[in-house]
């Protein structure tokens, strides 16, 4: 294994540990939300699948699983050994930037985007940023991906900080434009890479399947029900599709 790849796996080791700790922290905080016996729409004792904790738990558990997967891969490919020896413990510029950009992406996604921006748009932007920015380890891509998420998050915070304004669509449109721009740029600069062709499909399909399953199969609360895309999905489900099989 070449030296550059080994160094990257050593950085993955430290990044995965940080992400695991961050995931565990947010899972712990989310467990403060009752899974059973809560109140929804004035009705007490709602079932667990209607709890507001299900969505954040799903997000942070998925983040935890991905972090553990990254840690296992790093250990298998020698990154842990390299990270723990004298040469691997040095905190250099690239390693610090990789760690800092990942933290910035997840913090702005969780704190700014998830509560205020349509879930499909916010998660699609996150998936695109992570795959495009980090699958090759290119410094420029990392910075661009981080800037995309941070700018979308800052726009959401500045435009609609109070909870009363979370259903407004101004930040949805901004995040959607940034997501589209990042996706187009990815297809241009990485057009020869297979992952670039697959990423848009994953970024669109994964959030759509997740939020539709949560809302219509498990009938639970989802982030920002008034979001730009989910609002239309929910409307057509109840107004257009549901009457078809009821009739």
């Amino acid at each position: 294994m070449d030296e550059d790849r080994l160094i990257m796996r050593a950085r993955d080791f430290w990044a995965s540990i940080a992400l695991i700790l961050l995931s565990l922290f947010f899972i712990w905080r989310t467990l403060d939300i009752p899974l059973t016996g809560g109140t929804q729409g004035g009705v007490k004792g709602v079932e667990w699948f209607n709890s507001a904790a299900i969505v954040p738990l799903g997000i942070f558990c998925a983040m935890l699983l991905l972090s553990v997967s990254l840690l296992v891969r790093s250990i298998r490919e020698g990154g842990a050994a390299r990270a723990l020896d004298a040469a691997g413990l040095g905190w250099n510029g690239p390693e610090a930037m990789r760690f800092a950009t990942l933290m910035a992406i997840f913090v702005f996604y969780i704190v700014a985007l998830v509560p205020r921006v349509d879930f499909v748009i916010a998660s699609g932007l996150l998936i695109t940023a992570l795959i495009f920015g980090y699958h090759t380890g290119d410094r420029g891509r990392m910075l661009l991906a981080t800037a995309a998420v941070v700018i979308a998050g800052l726009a959401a915070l500045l435009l609609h900080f109070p909870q009363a304004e979370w259903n407004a669509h101004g930040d949805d449109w901004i995040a959607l434009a940034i997501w589209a721009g990042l996706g187009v740029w990815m297809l241009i600069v990485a057009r020869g890479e297979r992952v670039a062709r697959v990423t848009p499909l994953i970024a669109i399909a994964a959030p759509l399947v997740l939020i539709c399953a949560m809302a219509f199969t498990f009938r639970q609360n989802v982030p920002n029900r008034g979001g730009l895309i989910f609002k239309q999905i929910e409307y057509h489900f109840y107004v257009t599709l549901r009457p078809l099989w009821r009739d």
Side-chain angles (χ1 to χ4, degrees):
M1 181 180 296
D2 59 68
E3 184 68 12
D4 290 340
R5 185 177 181 84
L6 194 58
I7 292 174
M8 182 178 293
R9 291 293 167 255
R11 294 170 183 166
D12 288 342
F13 176 78
W14 296 119
S16 62
I17 290 178
L19 291 174
I20 288 171
L21 294 175
L22 187 66
S23 304
L24 291 174
F25 170 77
F26 281 112
I27 289 173
W28 170 60
R29 296 302 301 166
T30 303
L31 291 176
D32 289 341
I33 304 173
L35 284 171
T36 57
T39 301
Q40 180 176 321
V43 179
K44 294 185 178 180
V46 296
E47 299 293 339
W48 65 269
F49 46 77
N50 286 321
S51 171
I54 295 298
V55 173
L57 276 178
I59 294 173
F60 300 133
C61 286
M63 180 175 162
L64 177 62
L65 291 176
L66 290 173
S67 303
V68 171
S69 175
L70 181 63
L71 178 63
V72 170
R73 182 179 180 183
S74 172
I75 293 173
R76 286 179 175 175
E77 297 187 10
R82 174 60 189 267
L84 295 174
D85 66 19
L89 288 174
W91 186 261
N92 54 35
E95 184 176 354
M97 189 199 74
R98 181 184 178 88
F99 176 82
T101 53
L102 279 170
M103 290 300 100
I105 286 175
F106 281 111
V107 167
F108 274 90
Y109 172 74
I110 294 167
V111 175
L113 295 180
V114 170
R116 297 169 179 82
V117 175
D118 179 89
F119 182 79
V120 176
I121 297 174
S123 300
L125 174 60
L126 173 74
I127 293 170
T128 304
L130 290 178
I131 296 177
F132 173 67
Y134 295 89
H135 85 279
T136 63
D138 180 78
R139 181 176 182 272
R141 293 188 184 187
M142 289 183 197
L143 292 175
L144 179 61
T146 305
V149 177
V150 169
I151 291 172
L154 286 175
L157 289 173
L158 292 174
L159 290 176
H160 306 295
F161 185 82
Q163 186 172 355
E165 300 180 9
W166 285 3
N167 286 332
H169 297 319
D171 49 357
D172 290 345
W173 285 110
I174 293 174
L176 180 60
I178 294 173
W179 178 21
L182 182 63
V184 170
W185 181 251
M186 176 185 64
L187 293 174
I188 293 174
V189 302
R191 57 184 176 274
E193 301 173 17
R194 183 180 178 183
V195 69
R197 299 191 296 271
V198 177
T199 298
L201 299 177
I202 298 174
I204 294 172
L208 276 175
V209 171
L210 177 61
I211 200 168
C212 287
M214 290 187 299
F216 307 125
T217 301
F218 297 105
R219 298 187 181 280
Q220 62 176 289
N221 292 323
V222 298
N224 194 2
R225 296 192 78 96
L228 186 65
I229 294 178
F230 182 75
K231 184 178 181 180
Q232 297 302 316
I233 294 174
E234 188 174 39
Y235 172 82
H236 286 291
F237 176 80
Y238 288 110
V239 176
T240 306
L241 297 178
R242 197 174 182 185
L244 294 179
W245 65 74
R246 280 198 163 187
D247 294 340

